[in-house]
Amino acid sequence: MNTQTHISGNGDDKRTLVVVFLRGAADGLTLVAPLGDDNYRKFRPRLAVKREDAVKLDGFFGLHANLRALEPAWKDGELCIVHGAGGESDTRSHFEAQELMEHGGPASGGWLGRFLRTQNPSPSPLSAIALSPTLPEVLSGAPSAAAFESLGDFSLGGRGGGKRLPSNFSHELRRLYELETDALRDAARNTFDAIARIEAIDPNAQPGNGATYDERDSFARGLRQVAQLIQADVGLDAASVDLGGWDSHFTQQTLIEPLMLRLARGLAAFRQDLGARITTTTVVVMTEFGRRVAENSAFGTDHGRGSAMFVLGGGVRGGRVFGGLQPGGPWPGLKPEMLEGPGDLPVWNNYRDILAPVLTRHGASADALGKIFPDFSLSGLPLFAE
Amino acid sequence: MKNSTRREFIAASAGAVALSYAIFRSTQGWLTQMGQVAGIGVERTLGGKLTPPNARDIDPVSHALNRLTFGPGPGDHARVSAMGVEKFIEQQLSPEKMDDSLCDRATARFSDMWNEPLGEQYDAEPEALPPVLRRVTLLRAIYSERQLFEVMCEFWSDHFNIDPGKADCRWTKPTDDADVIRKHALGNFRDLLRASALSPAMLWYLDGRANVKRRPDEKPNENYARELMELHTLGVHGGYTQQDVMEVARCLTGWTIRARRDDGFAKTLISPQTDHFAVFFRKDAHDDDSKRVLGHEIPAGLGKGDLDRVIEIVGSHASTAQFIAHKLCVRFIADEPPQSAVSAVASAFSASNGDIKTTLRALFAAPEFASSAGTKFKRPFHFIVSALRATNASTTADRPLLSYLERMGHMPFCWPTPDGYPATAQHWRSTLLWRWNFALALANNQINGTSIQRARLQARIGSDVGLMATLLGRQPRAEESDAWLKSGDGLALLLASPAFQRC
């Protein structure tokens, strides 16, 4: 019997949501290729994923070979994919699209921050973390959020530095910040609380179930530390991990093939490490927009609209690609007249309709969803079995 | 040094010769002193009066020092008080008239590893260039008397951000720093814009070099054209459309650079080494039909003249004045600056056709500037440099110091995307722990290559209260004095305190 007192607002479920943002606009048509669509190869004479190389999914779609590490999750029914996914911003601007998508529309603060606020007004100091130098927009407005790159360094005075500190230093520093009345005081409170929680974790513990992360890869290291925090029951509700560099205007394959390998291997190790805890964890992989359907003259693709999103974890209706205009409907095909603007895959599935069922699983009420995604008429996709 | 390599460097293309000529010269200067002072940093002389600020709150002198510089050092308040704030601002607006020998010395011996001239390094070890640029940038921020100039260099480096981590930008970003950013930092915005458009690093970073139309079916690369309007001039809601992006891209087709190697794309552009990165216009790759940009007709047949038309149209656009003014006001006034101040600055920008000094004068004269003292949250680079200046630190800006900037996500020239490092507090508040740890390490001389003389500093200033006032730019509050005494490490505590995070 587990007698540990959980500090998280999500109680005994201990559910954690991990958001992986592929910054730079990842090409959904390479990640998840519509192999059965003849137009795909016509638009992409040099860049199309070849049928013989792909990881077959359902007879029509195939994953790029560098995503093969995701195949077990697919076969075990823990991974589903939504194609033609994206936001409503049509400026094709990375910054505008990322900001709108992280804010969940033209609202202030991030959707994840607002979600956390609806869940528990005074959560764990480690309720939300970003494995990055600074906090991403998606977490802005969270009641508590910390950004860092390594758990082991999270102490006052540096690694093991607590012992060298004058005994009153921390107390006096805290006292000065408590005299502040703005966001700086809250930032300091979060920092002091997070220090205490993280100091209790052993950063050198081995990953679970024989999982191996590539320690040279910052993305894999980030996921590993998320897993450590989940396993340490520090009350982690949400984590944000970025994988950037997808802006493939030029020699696309050279740019994104290593990224796909890191994405798939990192997620596969994370899933293995968590073992049974994956059932209470959801990973969402998203990107600000996709790339133009037709390749350009430089073996690359320019900014487009729709891309693909991945949802991995417990309870998902895995082994499916939601690729159509209707949930579960057929792929409409890359016919020139179907494309948007300068020749882009349209957004058939708004990212909010993908996030809404995920947040429901993580405890958001219908009322809360209205606050998390204001001014948007939700029609969530049936991504979960429950 | 191999003479052949040296000759190649000297004879190299415009891009290579321009490669941070100042750094090159400094390196030459350093070579003459080699062995003498290798690896030892310089420090500002504690000459003259060190009278600390005496006011209860931040006075106009401390305010000007806080915002126009990377932070006051001991004696700066007394010096600026004596000359008056207006004269100080004018002095800072004419950096070419100021003696900067201390900074020259600091950057001349910036590294004990750097025992070959840059030309040799350029030839053999491109990986060494961005780290040197980072160190030199940090040293200039700490030791230069031309503080406003350095602040503006930082501002424009963010505005026209280029990540040297992208392919050949590691060779070309130092050139961009010297010939685009530093050359025009206090000059005219349109000159700056044009220089940036034709910077080898920018042509690499935003794929301008690959924006070619050699055949009717070839599509222009829109990357630079979009960022030119979204980030460099009009702003994302500045009134341009996707059509304008495509038209600007067409205007800029054909501007490219000589390639260093065959990267599978620009085979025809491979150059001999002496010609690496030379910028040139390929008429055969330019779309010379007529275009329409932001409502302006650009007739067919202008060739390379299309670029000048584009710079003129976007540079003089009303949205550009608003966008640049807003950004400057965010830097110098507040994260959410009053529209009245933005309008005044935008008017000065427009009326002077983008003269940066005139624009800054209007900003510093705005009442909204005067009333904003002590409210801006320092970005990590500003925080680190201000702590080093306040404590009169001596540093070589070596790896152990730079690693604090890296930890806080603010290492110079490491921001991957073209929007530059975020300007406002919300992006940086989560760096508090690393600021506190830096304060502890600096105060206790635990950063290799960086040192302070705490006892001497305290003795020269004369009292604890004086040292506190020097750090805070005002007299300490009762709680600050109390915490200074009780903390066991007053200097570290004050550098870590809320007040020192602001300017």
Side-chain angles (χ1 to χ4, degrees):
Chain A
M1 188 178 65
N2 189 347
T3 56
Q4 179 167 358
T5 305
H6 296 288
I7 52 181
S8 164
N10 57 26
D12 291 337
D13 284 346
K14 294 173 285 185
R15 285 183 179 172
T16 304
L17 171 57
V18 181
V19 178
V20 174
F21 209 107
L22 308 180
R23 293 189 191 273
D27 181 29
L29 293 171
T30 296
L31 296 171
V32 186
L35 302 172
D37 187 336
D38 290 337
N39 286 320
Y40 175 55
R41 275 171 298 280
K42 286 180 190 151
F43 278 112
R44 299 272 179 100
R46 297 173 299 184
L47 295 185
V49 173
K50 293 192 181 65
R51 186 180 282 276
E52 60 270 27
D53 297 338
V55 180
K56 309 291 182 303
L57 293 178
D58 58 0
F60 185 84
F61 291 101
L63 292 175
H64 188 281
N66 283 15
L67 297 176
R68 187 172 300 280
L70 292 175
E71 196 173 20
W74 176 267
K75 287 190 168 154
D76 293 348
E78 284 179 7
L79 171 65
C80 75
I81 293 167
V82 184
H83 225 310
E88 60 278 14
S89 163
D90 61 0
T91 63
R92 294 176 180 77
S93 147
H94 294 296
F95 314 105
E96 169 117 337
Q98 284 182 22
E99 185 164 303
L100 275 173
M101 198 175 259
E102 290 185 80
H103 283 206
S108 69
W111 62 263
L112 194 49
R114 282 196 300 277
F115 161 71
L116 292 166
R117 210 163 265 287
T118 63
Q119 294 307 291
N120 187 349
S122 54
S124 155
L126 286 171
S127 156
I129 59 150
L131 272 301
S132 55
T134 63
L135 271 189
E137 287 291 325
V138 73
L139 275 171
S140 69
S144 147
F148 50 84
E149 291 176 286
S150 166
L151 298 185
D153 295 342
F154 208 87
S155 69
L156 187 57
R159 198 185 291 257
K163 296 181 196 76
R164 292 199 302 272
L165 275 184
S167 52
N168 287 335
F169 189 88
S170 181
H171 175 77
E172 292 301 322
L173 186 62
R174 195 167 190 150
R175 212 160 57 87
L176 285 186
Y177 277 91
E178 282 298 322
L179 296 170
E180 300 296 314
T181 53
D182 62 3
L184 192 54
R185 179 194 57 192
D186 299 337
R189 282 182 183 169
N190 284 342
T191 307
F192 278 114
D193 290 347
I195 290 168
R197 299 283 174 189
I198 291 182
E199 277 175 350
I201 296 175
D202 175 8
N204 300 315
Q206 287 298 310
N209 309 301
T212 50
Y213 294 94
D214 182 352
E215 286 295 324
R216 293 161 307 177
D217 175 6
S218 58
F219 176 68
R221 283 202 307 273
L223 288 176
R224 180 177 174 201
Q225 293 176 66
V226 172
Q228 283 178 318
L229 290 171
I230 290 173
Q231 285 154 342
D233 290 318
V234 295
L236 184 69
D237 295 309
S240 154
V241 188
D242 284 356
L243 182 56
W246 299 85
D247 196 14
S248 51
H249 290 277
F250 188 79
T251 57
Q252 170 161 303
Q253 276 132 321
T254 325
L255 276 176
I256 73 172
E257 280 178 359
L259 292 174
M260 288 190 284
L261 213 52
R262 291 169 62 192
L263 174 67
R265 288 183 179 169
L267 290 176
F270 179 72
R271 174 172 173 261
Q272 189 179 350
D273 184 0
L274 284 186
R277 300 275 312 242
I278 193 72
T279 55
T280 51
T281 305
T282 311
V283 182
V284 177
V285 181
M286 59 201 298
T287 188
E288 67 264 34
F289 47 74
R291 322 278 320 170
R292 196 145 305 160
V293 176
E295 61 191 41
N296 67 22
S297 57
F299 297 87
T301 52
D302 289 311
H303 296 186
R305 295 280 285 114
S307 187
M309 278 175 69
F310 295 72
V311 180
L312 183 156
V316 300
R317 296 167 77 193
R320 302 166 57 119
V321 180
F322 293 84
L325 291 164
Q326 306 295 326
W331 173 253
L334 297 172
K335 303 180 194 78
E337 66 274 17
M338 296 288 302
L339 303 185
E340 184 182 320
D344 299 336
L345 184 67
V347 173
W348 296 313
N349 294 299
N350 188 284
Y351 67 99
R352 282 170 282 210
D353 291 328
I354 301 157
L355 294 174
V358 173
L359 294 180
T360 301
R361 173 158 176 97
H362 284 259
S365 63
D367 189 43
L369 284 178
K371 290 178 183 147
I372 297 164
F373 299 120
D375 305 320
F376 183 78
S377 173
L378 282 172
S379 87
L381 291 178
L383 302 182
F384 289 87
E386 56 202 355
Chain B
M1 185 175 75
K2 299 185 296 283
N3 281 332
S4 59
T5 349
R6 176 69 190 281
R7 263 199 309 278
E8 275 168 20
F9 174 71
I10 299 296
S13 67
V17 166
L19 179 96
S20 200
Y21 185 60
I23 300 180
F24 179 72
R25 261 193 330 212
S26 301
T27 313
Q28 295 291 303
W30 177 77
L31 278 172
T32 64
Q33 310 171 33
M34 195 164 63
Q36 193 184 331
V37 283
I40 299 167
V42 302
E43 61 176 53
R44 299 179 78 199
T45 327
L46 289 182
K49 282 187 183 160
L50 302 188
T51 319
N54 197 27
R56 228 184 132 263
D57 294 308
I58 291 171
D59 64 14
V61 171
S62 285
H63 179 48
L65 281 163
N66 276 343
R67 297 286 168 86
L68 274 70
T69 78
F70 283 111
D76 282 346
H77 187 274
R79 191 171 52 83
V80 175
S81 296
M83 75 165 74
V85 169
E86 277 178 29
K87 191 171 169 211
F88 172 67
I89 291 174
E90 280 310 311
Q91 186 189 56
Q92 288 294 319
L93 284 169
S94 300
E96 68 284 353
K97 294 182 191 154
M98 299 172 76
D99 175 70
D100 213 15
S101 47
L102 178 72
C103 180
D104 292 343
R105 268 197 291 138
T107 50
R109 46 176 120 136
F110 55 78
S111 165
D112 55 271
M113 328 175 293
W114 197 254
N115 53 13
E116 297 204 43
L118 196 56
E120 197 97 334
Q121 296 283 347
Y122 171 74
D123 185 44
E125 287 184 67
E127 294 75 15
L129 291 180
V132 166
L133 182 59
R134 287 182 191 113
R135 292 182 73 176
V136 170
T137 299
L138 185 53
L139 288 167
R140 283 169 173 156
I142 300 164
Y143 294 116
S144 179
E145 294 300 321
R146 301 163 183 168
Q147 282 283 303
L148 179 60
F149 174 69
E150 295 300 335
V151 165
M152 288 307 294
C153 287
E154 185 198 44
F155 178 84
W156 294 123
S157 295
D158 278 327
H159 188 76
F160 294 101
N161 186 58
I162 291 171
D163 177 4
K166 180 167 174 179
D168 285 13
C169 294
R170 65 172 62 101
W171 279 278
T172 51
K173 175 60 198 175
T175 310
D176 181 89
D177 189 58
D179 289 1
V180 179
I181 305 297
R182 298 183 70 79
K183 185 171 176 188
H184 298 288
L186 287 174
N188 184 282
F189 178 73
R190 278 184 232 173
D191 296 339
L192 173 60
L193 191 61
R194 191 176 192 283
S196 171
L198 294 183
S199 162
M202 192 59 88
L203 284 163
W204 252 107
Y205 183 56
L206 292 179
D207 303 321
R209 71 180 192 104
N211 180 23
V212 288
K213 192 169 174 77
R214 295 163 295 194
R215 300 179 306 273
D217 64 328
E218 200 162 42
K219 292 188 183 68
N221 187 309
E222 297 168 12
N223 203 6
Y224 176 73
R226 179 183 310 283
E227 307 309 8
L228 172 67
M229 288 190 281
E230 177 182 338
L231 298 174
H232 298 168
T233 57
L234 280 73
V236 70
H237 298 299
Y240 65 91
T241 62
Q242 168 65 22
Q243 189 62 28
D244 289 317
V245 171
M246 293 163 97
E247 292 288 281
V248 168
R250 288 179 60 213
C251 289
L252 302 180
T253 44
W255 285 102
T256 189
I257 51 183
R258 301 237 177 251
R260 186 173 52 82
R261 59 187 153 75
D262 178 8
D263 59 8
F265 166 68
K267 264 194 181 116
T268 55
L269 306 180
I270 302 297
S271 66
Q273 189 187 351
T274 51
D275 215 13
H276 289 348
F277 309 126
V279 174
F280 71 110
F281 180 72
R282 284 186 65 185
K283 205 169 177 10
D284 65 308
H286 180 67
D287 178 346
D288 221 5
D289 287 344
S290 66
K291 296 110 184 162
R292 192 170 180 80
V293 171
L294 294 161
H296 299 266
E297 197 69 28
I298 298 182
L302 290 188
K304 68 201 315 193
D306 280 2
L307 169 74
D308 298 303
R309 289 289 293 128
V310 167
I311 297 295
E312 191 187 320
I313 291 166
V314 299
S316 62
H317 199 280
S319 296
T320 301
Q322 281 292 323
F323 185 63
I324 300 294
H326 186 268
K327 246 179 133 162
L328 285 168
C329 288
V330 168
R331 171 60 183 79
F332 288 104
I333 297 178
D335 286 1
E336 288 174 21
Q339 186 51 44
S340 51
V342 176
S343 299
V345 175
S347 298
F349 182 90
S350 293
S352 65
N353 292 319
D355 183 70
I356 295 165
K357 288 182 185 178
T358 305
T359 307
L360 287 175
R361 267 189 203 103
L363 194 161
F364 300 140
E368 296 87 349
F369 172 74
S371 63
S372 67
T375 53
K376 279 282 293 178
F377 189 66
K378 295 172 186 170
R379 301 199 302 179
F381 182 85
H382 189 161
F383 162 73
I384 296 257
V385 176
S386 65
L388 293 165
R389 286 173 62 81
T391 55
N392 210 51
S394 164
T395 183
T396 54
D398 214 333
R399 188 68 215 165
L401 179 62
L402 287 167
S403 70
Y404 281 94
L405 287 168
E406 189 168 54
R407 166 59 47 79
M408 294 193 271
H410 202 198
M411 178 83 104
F413 312 110
C414 278
W415 184 257
T417 48
D419 50 345
Y421 281 105
T424 56
Q426 59 162 325
H427 297 275
W428 301 108
R429 280 194 207 99
S430 55
T431 59
L432 277 180
L433 176 64
W434 317 119
R435 293 171 189 243
W436 300 344
N437 285 344
F438 173 77
L440 281 160
L442 177 67
N444 293 287
N445 278 327
Q446 289 169 342
I447 305 168
N448 277 340
T450 300
S451 62
I452 64 167
Q453 300 204 36
R454 192 167 172 164
R456 193 187 64 179
L457 186 65
Q458 209 144 348
R460 280 285 280 112
I461 292 174
S463 67
D464 278 6
V465 174
L467 181 54
M468 283 190 261
T470 302
L471 295 173
L472 295 168
R474 56 162 168 77
Q475 289 290 303
R477 313 224 183 283
E479 312 83 47
E480 287 163 339
S481 297
D482 187 46
W484 167 281
L485 289 173
K486 289 183 183 158
S487 68
D489 192 343
L491 180 58
L493 182 91
L494 220 54
L495 294 173
S497 73
F500 198 79
Q501 310 314 310
R502 300 198 178 101
C503 67

